[in-house]
Amino acid sequence: SQQGEEDPQALSIQEGENATMNCSYKTSINNLQWYRQNSGRGLVHLILIRSNEREKHSGRLRVTLDTSKKSSSLLITASRAADTASYFCATDNQAGTALIFGKGTTLSVSS
Amino acid sequence: GAGVSQSPRYKVAKRGQDVALRCDPISGHVSLFWYQQALGQGPEFLTYFQNEAQLDKSGLPSDRFFAERPEGSVSTLKIQRTQQEDSAVYLCASSLPLGGPEETQYFGPGTRLLVL
């Protein structure tokens, strides 16, 4: 079963616009991660935010975490066509032995 | 250094055949994970190794699925008597020891399995 649910399932924007994706999860976590997957490829780690952090930045990425609402958001600023991919949030399972992924948001950035 | 590699990249099998999927983790990575990703879905956990020990295999969907990592490096995921519902991308990931300062999992490109 999957822990996280991303919202929206699909997002289409123009280059230069910002893209916001949301993720909700069900159980308590130690950390939450965001991954990106280009079509037909493996996943690439983007950013990790720990449960005691509220916001984290990495380049054009901004991640927020609200543990009281069990939700996180990923903001990509000034999007580029190369940002076109699927984005997944992932949390650690209770045993701490694996990541539990959501279904992902498919982002399409057109030039 | 090199990332996680997987072979074959694509596999077509007839229903009932056995298949073996290989994963070469990043050198020095203690932890190794297998995930199954169905079309349009996120990856789902199958099993986890720390060195050669299989510490969690709770995600394996049936006893037709078997994974091993005998020397604590390369791992093989074997699926016996494949069924059409086994068609998916099988992803391997490796990381430094869980609970350490670096918890990122590094993923391979996956093996796309199609069972006819």
Side-chain angles (χ1 to χ4, degrees):
Chain A
S1 61
Q2 301 194 288
Q3 151 102 295
E5 290 288 336
E6 285 90 345
D7 168 49
Q9 288 188 343
L11 180 61
S12 293
I13 59 174
Q14 298 287 321
E15 262 192 328
E17 294 181 336
N18 296 341
T20 299
M21 289 160 268
N22 302 297
C23 166
S24 59
Y25 57 91
K26 298 173 185 174
T27 61
S28 60
I29 60 171
N30 294 314
N31 60 65
L32 184 143
Q33 303 184 49
W34 284 90
Y35 282 81
R36 161 192 165 139
Q37 185 176 39
N38 287 74
S39 179
R41 303 280 186 92
L43 286 88
V44 175
H45 179 260
L46 295 177
I47 195 166
L48 178 151
I49 185 166
R50 300 191 185 281
S51 58
N52 61 354
E53 297 176 310
R54 292 295 168 260
E55 188 170 313
K56 201 163 184 179
H57 297 253
S58 176
R60 294 184 295 112
L61 305 180
R62 172 178 169 252
V63 169
T64 63
L65 179 64
D66 186 335
T67 53
S68 66
K69 294 181 179 178
K70 293 187 169 59
S71 67
S72 173
S73 68
L74 171 68
L75 168 67
I76 304 174
T77 60
S79 63
R80 306 166 182 168
D83 295 328
T84 295
S86 293
Y87 292 82
F88 296 90
C89 68
T91 58
D92 51 317
N93 67 356
Q94 290 185 333
T97 56
L99 293 176
I100 303 177
F101 289 86
K103 293 183 179 181
T105 292
T106 299
L107 173 66
S108 177
V109 182
S110 53
S111 54
Chain B
V4 178
S5 61
Q6 293 186 246
S7 61
R9 290 293 313 277
Y10 303 92
K11 177 70 178 177
V12 179
K14 292 183 179 178
R15 191 173 55 181
Q17 276 186 332
D18 297 349
V19 298
L21 313 180
R22 177 188 169 107
C23 172
D24 284 81
I26 293 173
S27 178
H29 277 193
V30 169
S31 300
L32 186 146
F33 308 82
W34 283 98
Y35 293 86
Q36 180 190 58
Q37 185 175 24
L39 189 64
Q41 302 293 314
E44 294 210 5
F45 169 73
L46 293 177
T47 187
Y48 159 62
F49 290 85
Q50 188 161 9
N51 295 306
E52 68 278 4
Q54 189 175 21
L55 298 186
D56 188 343
K57 54 181 181 179
S58 62
L60 296 176
S62 78
D63 58 8
R64 296 187 296 104
F65 287 71
F66 172 76
E68 61 183 4
R69 194 186 185 197
E71 298 179 359
S73 55
V74 171
S75 177
T76 303
L77 175 67
K78 297 179 180 177
I79 308 173
Q80 297 176 325
R81 305 181 302 281
T82 53
Q83 303 294 315
Q84 285 184 322
E85 61 262 29
D86 300 334
S87 296
V89 176
Y90 291 85
L91 296 165
C92 176
S94 70
S95 74
L96 293 169
L98 288 176
E102 177 59 78
E103 297 164 338
T104 300
Q105 292 188 22
Y106 296 86
F107 282 80
T111 293
R112 187 175 296 273
L113 173 65
L114 177 62
V115 181
L116 302 176

